[in-house]
Amino acid sequence: MASGSLVWVVMPNEGCCSCSSGVGQRAKVVRTRRRVSASLVATPWRSSEERVYDVVLKQAALVRDQKKRLKGESEIGTTLVDSGVLEEAYERCGEVCAEYAKTFYLGTLLMTPERRKAVWAIYVWCRRTDELVDGPNASHITPTALDRWEKRLTDLFEGRPFDMYDAALTDTVSKFPVDIQPFKDMIEGMRLDLRKSRYMNFDELYLYCYYVAGTVGLMSVPVMGIAADSKLSTESVYNSALALGIANQLTNILRDVGEDARRGRVYLPQDELAQAGLSNEDIFQGKVTDKWRNFMKGQIKRARMFFDQAEIGISELSPASRWPVWASLIIYRQILDAIEANDYDNFSKRAYVGKAKKFLSLPAAYARSLSRPLTGNRL
């Protein structure tokens, strides 16, 4: 799997060409969100975007339901795990986040303690899940092992954590309106990596990107919170979180083309490669040609469109939660700039953003976190 995103604010992703059929179709889904659920019942074939949007609607409904329940009550729910164990568990989650996502970790320090710890717990679970198929023991992972991991997920959601890291997530999901479905869907993305190494079109790739990265946005928004004065609907904010996850994973895919090819994997839509006059063999040979450059320009354009869509929702998050998300988006989007600077050679060169450039991006991200665009009427 092309390195998956571990928090919707940390790992962006990229897609392919045909922007009118991909992003354009998605925009149509956003504009008609209230009609989607009813019309799908009678539609025999549903695109991946429509199927995923059903999950978005469900997650948004959970947030609204919690707001009704908590009116006049404390925001934080009942602790299900011993407080002494929890303190150490969250501390360890923070250490993992600080080690593997330094810039994001720095931004989380601005959040309220409850939100900060909860985001750390989600990050660690996502990282552990990702490591199942991308870590040192990936060659030994089987579908049965992923089934056991999903059973363990169900247990921790039901208040039966297996270890200290699970305990932190058990406490988190007891306090915030976090649903289990995105977590299950991420595991489904790991299953795909065990059995699938080609994607015939962007519809297939979109679903994969949702599984391994878009899910993280749906997990995180309930914790990060939506600004009290937001003029956007809850669904719109979730939709932007989803878009950032898709953008992140598409960016990962474009960055890692050569690395994935050496493992026999091609995370690019086969039909769009063919339309560009390219084949898997061209990718395995790793030659940068005019055809490849033109193809990559279309892929980068699509990823940037998803990043643009994500910006809408970031500005509607709770003020203390915006900075790490903005920092992640700005820095990760620069990977696309680096691919261009490498003359689209993502076969032998790895596009990256240097430490100095990352830290120079933090003030800009902080400034963006303080500003609020005119959002117009609630969607």
Side-chain angles (χ1 to χ4, degrees):
M1 154 182 162
S3 306
S5 103
L6 301 180
V7 176
W8 71 288
V9 298
V10 176
M11 287 279 195
N13 192 344
E14 153 117 357
C16 293
C17 215
S18 255
C19 293
S20 60
S21 61
V23 177
Q25 179 185 359
R26 186 162 209 287
K28 182 179 179 180
V29 172
V30 173
R31 291 194 300 269
T32 59
R33 60 173 53 86
R34 289 189 177 88
R35 300 194 297 272
V36 166
S37 57
S39 63
L40 291 183
V41 176
T43 304
W45 182 86
R46 300 166 62 193
S47 72
S48 293
E49 295 186 39
E50 291 171 330
R51 292 163 60 190
V52 170
Y53 198 71
D54 282 352
V55 182
V56 170
L57 293 175
K58 182 180 178 183
Q59 307 314 301
L62 285 176
V63 173
R64 287 194 298 269
D65 290 345
Q66 193 209 41
K67 287 180 179 178
K68 293 177 182 177
R69 291 196 309 272
L70 296 180
K71 202 168 185 179
E73 300 177 15
S74 171
E75 180 181 355
I76 303 304
T78 303
T79 298
L80 299 179
V81 186
D82 178 81
S83 59
V85 173
L86 273 180
E87 184 177 354
E88 184 177 355
Y90 279 123
E91 183 177 332
R92 290 193 182 182
C93 288
E95 291 171 356
V96 173
C97 188
E99 180 177 356
Y100 294 100
K102 294 180 176 62
T103 303
F104 175 69
Y105 172 79
L106 179 63
T108 65
L109 298 181
L110 292 180
M111 297 180 181
T112 64
E114 292 80 11
R115 295 185 190 280
R116 175 195 316 151
K117 292 187 295 184
V119 167
W120 291 346
I122 292 173
Y123 176 89
V124 168
W125 185 89
C126 290
R127 183 167 189 87
R128 295 173 85 187
T129 303
D130 183 72
E131 287 290 304
L132 292 176
V133 297
D134 260 359
N137 297 317
S139 59
H140 303 294
I141 294 298
T142 64
T144 301
L146 291 177
D147 290 343
R148 288 197 296 267
W149 186 248
E150 184 168 344
K151 173 60 169 60
R152 180 166 159 175
L153 170 71
T154 301
D155 286 344
L156 74 84
F157 260 81
E158 294 176 353
R160 300 188 300 274
F162 180 79
D163 63 12
M164 186 169 289
Y165 294 120
D166 285 355
L169 188 57
T170 293
D171 185 61
T172 291
V173 301
S174 74
K175 294 177 176 178
F176 296 93
V178 179
D179 186 58
I180 195 173
Q181 190 59 51
F183 293 82
K184 287 185 173 182
D185 287 343
M186 176 172 277
I187 296 174
E188 186 60 31
M190 306 303 113
R191 292 192 179 100
L192 276 180
D193 272 321
L194 294 183
R195 66 175 188 265
K196 194 176 179 70
S197 60
R198 303 287 189 278
Y199 291 84
M200 299 311 297
N201 50 50
F202 184 68
D203 188 71
E204 287 189 7
L205 185 63
Y206 178 92
L207 187 60
Y208 171 74
C209 290
Y210 159 69
Y211 282 149
V212 301
T215 49
V216 187
L218 304 189
M219 299 172 191
S220 304
V221 170
V223 172
M224 293 186 167
I226 299 175
D229 61 344
S230 173
K231 297 299 188 295
L232 290 184
S233 67
T234 305
E235 290 90 339
S236 296
V237 178
Y238 269 93
N239 211 47
S240 292
L242 173 64
L244 182 53
I246 300 297
N248 288 351
Q249 188 58 27
L250 291 176
T251 299
N252 289 335
I253 288 171
L254 296 184
R255 179 195 62 195
D256 298 338
V257 167
E259 179 182 328
D260 290 330
R262 288 187 284 276
R263 299 163 60 195
R265 294 180 174 275
V266 178
Y267 290 93
L268 298 168
Q270 297 292 299
D271 61 344
E272 296 184 4
L273 281 170
Q275 290 168 13
L278 297 165
S279 67
N280 293 329
E281 189 58 33
D282 293 311
I283 293 176
F284 294 140
Q285 290 178 358
K287 294 182 179 179
V288 179
T289 63
D290 287 341
K291 286 183 179 180
W292 179 252
R293 292 185 184 94
N294 289 332
F295 175 76
M296 284 300 301
K297 289 176 183 178
Q299 310 315 299
I300 290 174
K301 179 179 180 181
R302 172 180 280 162
R304 284 175 172 153
M305 291 179 72
F306 276 105
F307 278 125
D308 290 345
Q309 184 177 347
E311 288 190 8
I312 300 171
I314 297 177
S315 297
E316 302 303 315
L317 292 175
S318 175
S321 300
R322 293 175 201 153
W323 188 28
V325 187
W326 270 118
S328 174
L329 184 149
I330 291 172
I331 291 170
Y332 226 80
R333 186 157 48 187
Q334 291 173 353
I335 293 174
L336 300 176
D337 301 335
I339 294 174
E340 293 173 331
N342 288 340
D343 192 29
Y344 305 99
D345 181 3
N346 43 8
F347 300 116
S348 61
K349 299 179 181 178
R350 182 178 176 84
Y352 70 95
V353 180
K355 290 183 179 179
K357 194 168 185 178
K358 285 182 180 179
F359 281 103
L360 286 174
S361 299
L362 294 180
Y366 185 69
R368 294 294 298 270
S369 73
L370 297 178
S371 64
R372 291 288 299 281
L374 295 174
T375 55
N377 295 326
R378 180 178 291 272
L379 298 180

